[in-house]
Amino acid sequence: MWHQITSYFKFLLKSKNQHGVHSPFVFDLLTKCFYDTKKYPAYKTLKVYRNKTIQNKKLISIRDFGADSQIVKSNKKKVTTIAKNKETTFKKQQLLYRVISYFKPDTILELGTSLGLGTVAMAFANPSSKIITLEACLNTSKLAQSYFKEFELKNIHLQNSSFEDFFKPKSSEKYDVVFIARNDRKEDIVSYFYMLLDKTNNDSLLIFNDIYWNTEMTEAWNQIKEHPKVTLSIDTYYWGLLFFRIEQEKQHFTIRV
């Protein structure tokens, strides 16, 4: 918690809004997407979905997976407790909706479905997108799948798989947007980044959630944003965004959202 607090104050001192940005690509992203204040009708549906999970008092067994697909802990939680987790706030859902609406990606990969709060935001934002989302916990994935079916979201393809197992088969598929859920371990985040490098194209966007959750997440973010293939990185405190546009001069931005 202390790391999050101190990091936030440092972020505030460094951060800018659109008036301090000289990149046309980033300026348009901020003014037309990040700072878009339009009340989209889909926001109401996202709220309905969110409330449905929050009102679910059912107790389910949760299994969290660590490196090499080994189960590191198992416990029981109420669905409402999972839904209230700050990992996917309503504000984040809205921003994710706007990002997908703005870029209109054909293919999306999500590492960490949980209850699907982020997944549905992407699905409603661009119904023509193919969304592959991975959830290692069987009970959680079954619950998320039931919600997707109830809301008739047919562009979501949920796989009950660890991230490592998903990437084991050789595949030439590229992803336009990848959303990576929070992970407490630096080595895991860096490993996911390298696994994803071959799955990106010039216009791909990687979004890392909660980059200031702990020191390891922050260290991982600071390491991967310096990779030679990364030409543009944006730190919004809650998210870290990476772009690979070869026409873009290598730049880093710290942006208030």
Side-chain angles (χ1 to χ4, degrees):
M1 180 61 73
W2 183 245
H3 173 72
Q4 295 174 32
I5 295 171
T6 56
S7 296
Y8 186 64
F9 282 111
K10 291 178 182 178
F11 169 84
L12 290 177
L13 291 173
K14 295 188 296 182
S15 60
K16 304 175 181 179
N17 56 25
Q18 74 271 30
H19 301 298
V21 170
H22 302 293
S23 163
F25 176 81
V26 177
F27 182 83
D28 284 348
L29 176 61
L30 298 186
T31 56
K32 298 177 182 179
C33 175
F34 281 15
Y35 300 147
D36 179 5
T37 58
K38 181 179 177 181
K39 302 298 182 182
Y40 291 94
Y43 287 174
K44 292 182 179 179
T45 309
L46 293 179
K47 180 65 86 172
V48 171
Y49 187 102
R50 186 178 195 84
N51 288 340
K52 187 171 284 288
T53 62
I54 289 175
Q55 293 165 8
N56 190 337
K57 308 297 184 182
K58 182 180 178 181
L59 197 67
I60 63 172
S61 180
I62 301 294
R63 289 185 173 183
D64 292 333
F65 287 69
D68 303 319
S69 304
Q70 296 299 309
I71 299 171
V72 293
K73 62 179 179 179
S74 178
N75 54 33
K76 290 187 176 183
K77 289 184 180 179
K78 287 184 178 180
V79 175
T80 182
T81 302
I82 303 171
K84 290 176 181 177
N85 190 318
K86 293 182 180 179
E87 186 174 337
T88 309
T89 62
F90 188 53
K91 181 180 178 180
K92 282 186 179 180
Q93 282 185 287
Q94 292 173 306
L95 180 56
L96 193 53
Y97 175 90
R98 295 197 300 274
V99 167
I100 300 304
S101 296
Y102 182 77
F103 287 110
K104 294 181 171 54
D106 292 325
T107 55
I108 299 172
L109 175 65
E110 181 183 37
L111 305 184
T113 316
S114 189
L115 298 177
L117 294 170
T119 324
V120 296
M122 296 188 287
F124 282 120
N126 189 20
S128 63
S129 292
K130 176 186 177 183
I131 302 174
I132 298 174
T133 182
L134 310 181
E135 176 53 55
C137 175
L138 179 60
N139 291 335
T140 307
S141 64
K142 284 182 177 179
L143 183 58
Q145 188 66 68
S146 69
Y147 286 134
F148 299 157
K149 184 177 180 180
E150 181 178 349
F151 281 77
E152 300 182 341
L153 295 168
K154 298 180 180 179
N155 60 330
I156 299 175
H157 306 272
L158 191 156
Q159 296 189 25
N160 176 219
S161 168
S162 69
F163 307 158
E164 291 79 12
D165 287 344
F166 176 79
F167 286 113
K168 279 180 182 177
K170 295 294 182 180
S171 170
S172 59
E173 186 164 11
K174 305 286 185 179
Y175 301 102
D176 299 316
V177 172
V178 183
F179 186 79
I180 301 99
R182 184 180 70 222
N183 188 295
D184 293 343
R185 293 165 44 124
K186 175 182 176 180
E187 61 190 77
D188 289 343
I189 292 296
V190 173
S191 175
Y192 300 156
F193 170 76
Y194 278 100
M195 286 190 287
L196 288 165
L197 275 181
D198 291 336
K199 306 295 183 183
T200 60
N201 55 54
N202 189 67
D203 297 315
S204 291
L205 163 62
L206 303 189
I207 304 173
F208 289 84
N209 192 31
D210 283 339
I211 57 174
Y212 290 103
W213 180 253
N214 60 21
T215 55
E216 291 204 34
M217 283 287 293
T218 306
E219 288 172 1
W221 164 249
N222 287 329
Q223 178 178 330
I224 61 181
K225 75 179 183 182
E226 297 301 328
H227 191 277
K229 283 192 175 182
V230 175
T231 57
L232 172 63
S233 57
I234 301 176
D235 176 352
T236 69
Y237 182 77
Y238 303 104
W239 289 351
L241 294 85
L242 301 180
F243 296 86
F244 304 87
R245 295 156 39 88
I246 58 174
E247 65 272 29
Q248 176 88 35
E249 178 185 359
K250 192 173 182 70
Q251 289 179 290
H252 174 74
F253 294 91
T254 304
I255 302 294
R256 294 189 297 273
V257 179

